[in-house]
Amino acid sequence: MNTPEPQRLWRKSTYSGGVENNCVEISVLDGRIGVRDSKAPAAGHLTLTRRDFADFLAHLRP
C-alpha cells in the first residue's frame, strides 16, 4: 500500500501580488528549501540547502 505524500505548506512571498502577479513560493522540504513559481506549481521546484537559500536571498537584497 502506498501512503500519499503529505501536503506540503507552500508560502507565497510577501512581495508577490502587484500588477503582474509574479509570485514565488517557498516550503521546507526535508530540511531543505523548495522554491517554485506559484502560477505553475506542477512545473516543479528548485531545492536549495538552507545555506544556499540564505546566500540566494543575500544576493537579491539591494
Side-chain angles (χ1 to χ4, degrees), residues 5-52:
E5 183 175 335
Q7 183 70 18
R8 295 203 188 327
L9 176 62
W10 288 90
R11 295 180 293 164
K12 190 179 291 190
S13 168
T14 57
Y15 290 97
S16 295
V19 178
E20 293 101 26
N21 204 21
N22 295 324
C23 303
V24 174
E25 294 178 323
I26 64 167
S27 183
V28 177
L29 309 172
D30 300 322
R32 295 179 180 264
I33 306 297
V35 181
R36 72 180 185 184
D37 180 347
S38 67
K39 295 182 305 297
H45 62 272
L46 298 173
T47 304
L48 304 168
T49 65
R50 290 178 182 268
R51 174 64 187 192
D52 288 340

